[in-house]
Amino acid sequence: MAVIQKYGKNYSYDLVCHKENHPSDKIGAPGCHKKWPEHTTWSRPVARVWTVVLLLGTCLLYCARVAMPICAVSMAEQFNWSKRESGMVLGSFFWGYCFTQVFGGYVSDRVGGEKVLLLSAAAWGSMTAFTPILAHFCSQPILSMTLARFLMGLLQGVHYPSLASLCSQKVVESERGFLMSTVGSGSYLGTLVIGGAGSLMLDLYGWQSVFYASGLLSVLWAYCMWKYLLKGEGPIITLESLGSGGPQSKLSKRHWLRLLKQPAVCAVIVTHLCTASTFFTLLSWLPTFFKDTFPNAKGWVFNVIPWLVAIPSSLFSGWLSDHLISKGFDTASVRKLMQCFSMGVSSVFTLLLCGNTTFPWAVAFVSATMGLTTFSHSGVSVNVQDLAPSCAGALFGVMNTCGAFLGVLLVYFSGYLIEATGSWASVFALITTVNLLGLCTFLAFAEARRVDIDCSKVRHHDIHI
């Protein structure tokens, strides 16, 4: 009888082993249930089609999401909103967004991520298209728009957890990185498209046209996905399917508490909380900053150029990170270097916006800030997979929820600061402070070793074959 031993770092079992006896388990540790439901993976041609479709879906997701920040100035003028009221409307999105992260992943693991993506896209696309109607036919537009943005957050909050679930079930491990990085770039592409086309539509046809176009295109995308990829299969979600088990391991409360007590895990959560909230704040307020500071500037310039920089910057950061690690550099050091660019160097350019600048220099500083911010995709966003690969999806949902909560507060508080001080410098100083807090935490406590297993118990784990 051969005995294969797994030592420390190479140990690959999940944090939790269910102590059940299953006769179908031919290989595995005694008392550990390791048989997961099998899922048919996509062939390479099918995966390529889905990659393009999901890229377009993520692009439209951000077109619908950024429509309100782009139109906020025009809507505020029409409905006589103050800066604080505008901040309340913009920030309400994140109240909804933070509530469905974990739920979206839970449902997707049980019924399929493609069904959740389809239903949510049809819903938030319809909500976007009906936004102008709600604004005009409600006696209190501030209330209807706040509610509409809250519902948008609820519906869009399931998107990325559903993508992660779909990828884990349908894509072979060796091809997941390319698919997820390509689909993830749709967020910048969508912001770029709505920044350019949306600004032109805003000037030519009014703010209502931006919502109509992005909403109807999203519904059309959902229909094409249902018709041609799902072959018209009904996206039915039943209580029975929700109760069935999925491939995701079930972590007990005790193990979650132990995991969350790890300094490296806390550092990842705090750092992601800071970087996500500052990005949300910049995304929400930058169009208003340019409109207030440079009223005669063309909207397409400041709504397009920063995202033209962000797309290649994101791809370069991924290449640089993988290249350094392949050359033998310590993984934790590379993650920290990427985060230094994302939160440290970018903060220098953010502070430069506090002074008196010309429009070209302001666009350059914002472009540098947004481009460097994308380096976090190779820093803290990947570090969670280094630390806890057995529950990286659930842990990322916790991180994103925390980031959305702080994003709500920062977006609203930024509107208050602008109104109270009459200066944008206070907002940029706040963003810099939050970024530096997260960076210092990451530099002090971040690691790249696995912490989701008890190494003292699994250092010599025997598998009998």
Side-chain angles (χ1 to χ4, degrees), residues 92-132:
S92 60
F93 172 89
F94 303 107
W95 281 113
Y97 188 73
C98 63
F99 283 118
T100 50
Q101 296 283 330
V102 179
F103 176 76
Y106 174 87
V107 176
S108 298
D109 287 337
R110 283 151 179 79
V111 303
E114 66 277 13
K115 292 184 178 181
V116 179
L117 284 171
L118 174 61
L119 289 173
S120 64
W124 55 255
S126 301
M127 177 63 67
T128 304
F130 277 102
T131 295

Side-chain angles (χ1 to χ4, degrees), residues 49-379:
V49 173
W50 273 95
T51 300
V52 175
V53 170
L54 295 175
L55 170 65
L56 291 175
T58 305
C59 174
L60 290 169
L61 177 92
Y62 267 77
C63 286
R65 182 181 301 185
V66 183
M68 180 64 79
I70 286 180
C71 299
V73 175
S74 298
M75 296 177 71
E77 292 175 355
Q78 180 174 341
F79 299 118
N80 297 316
W81 293 343
S82 65
K83 287 291 190 299
R84 189 179 303 180
E85 289 173 328
S86 296
M88 182 175 67
V89 173
L90 294 172
S92 60
F93 172 89
F94 303 107
W95 281 113
Y97 188 73
C98 63
F99 283 118
T100 50
Q101 296 283 330
V102 179
F103 176 76
Y106 174 87
V107 176
S108 298
D109 287 337
R110 283 151 179 79
V111 303
E114 66 277 13
K115 292 184 178 181
V116 179
L117 284 171
L118 174 61
L119 289 173
S120 64
W124 55 255
S126 301
M127 177 63 67
T128 304
F130 277 102
T131 295
I133 299 175
L134 293 174
H136 285 294
F137 288 94
C138 182
S139 59
Q140 295 292 332
I142 185 68
L143 296 179
S144 63
M145 290 299 94
T146 300
L147 178 60
R149 289 295 288 176
F150 175 79
L151 292 176
M152 278 285 291
L154 281 177
L155 296 170
Q156 290 198 352
V158 305
H159 184 83
Y160 282 104
S162 299
L163 278 179
S165 177
L166 180 62
C167 181
S168 67
Q169 295 176 14
K170 297 294 186 179
V171 184
V172 296
E173 186 176 2
S174 60
E175 298 177 1
R176 289 175 187 169
F178 173 76
L179 186 145
M180 291 302 292
S181 62
T182 303
V183 173
S185 66
S187 61
Y188 306 118
L189 180 61
T191 306
L192 175 64
V193 169
I194 196 65
S199 297
L200 292 176
M201 294 176 65
L202 179 64
D203 294 336
L204 296 176
Y205 306 109
W207 62 267
Q208 297 90 341
S209 62
V210 180
F211 288 96
Y212 290 140
S214 57
L216 293 176
L217 285 174
S218 301
V219 174
L220 178 62
W221 174 84
Y223 173 77
C224 291
M225 176 181 168
W226 170 75
K227 182 71 173 179
Y228 299 106
L229 290 184
L230 300 183
K231 306 300 182 182
E233 178 185 351
I236 300 174
I237 299 177
T238 63
L239 292 177
E240 182 180 357
S241 63
L242 289 178
S244 63
Q248 190 180 40
S249 59
K250 299 178 180 179
L251 303 181
S252 67
K253 182 185 296 185
R254 178 173 60 86
H255 289 101
W256 268 110
L257 290 176
R258 186 177 66 82
L259 188 66
L260 294 175
K261 289 179 180 179
Q262 297 288 336
V265 174
C266 293
V268 164
I269 294 175
V270 171
T271 305
H272 183 81
L273 181 151
C274 292
T275 189
S277 61
T278 53
F279 176 79
F280 289 152
T281 304
L282 288 171
L283 186 68
S284 297
W285 283 111
L286 279 177
T288 305
F289 162 73
F290 279 105
K291 284 288 187 180
D292 286 355
T293 310
F294 309 102
N296 297 323
K298 294 293 183 180
W300 69 267
V301 176
F302 56 79
N303 284 324
V304 169
I305 293 180
W307 305 108
L308 279 176
V309 175
I311 294 174
S313 176
S314 178
L315 297 176
F316 172 74
S317 68
W319 172 85
L320 178 61
S321 174
D322 291 346
H323 177 72
L324 291 175
I325 294 174
S326 67
K327 291 296 182 181
F329 287 89
D330 178 61
T331 302
S333 300
V334 174
R335 303 291 184 233
K336 291 179 180 180
L337 176 64
M338 296 298 105
Q339 211 58 35
C340 282
F341 282 109
S342 175
M343 305 181 81
V345 181
S346 69
S347 294
V348 175
F349 291 98
T350 303
L351 284 177
L352 291 174
L353 292 169
C354 296
N356 294 324
T357 62
T358 62
F359 178 68
W361 278 112
V363 173
F365 294 152
V366 169
S367 299
T369 297
M370 302 309 292
L372 288 167
T373 299
T374 64
F375 276 63
S376 65
H377 297 319
S378 303

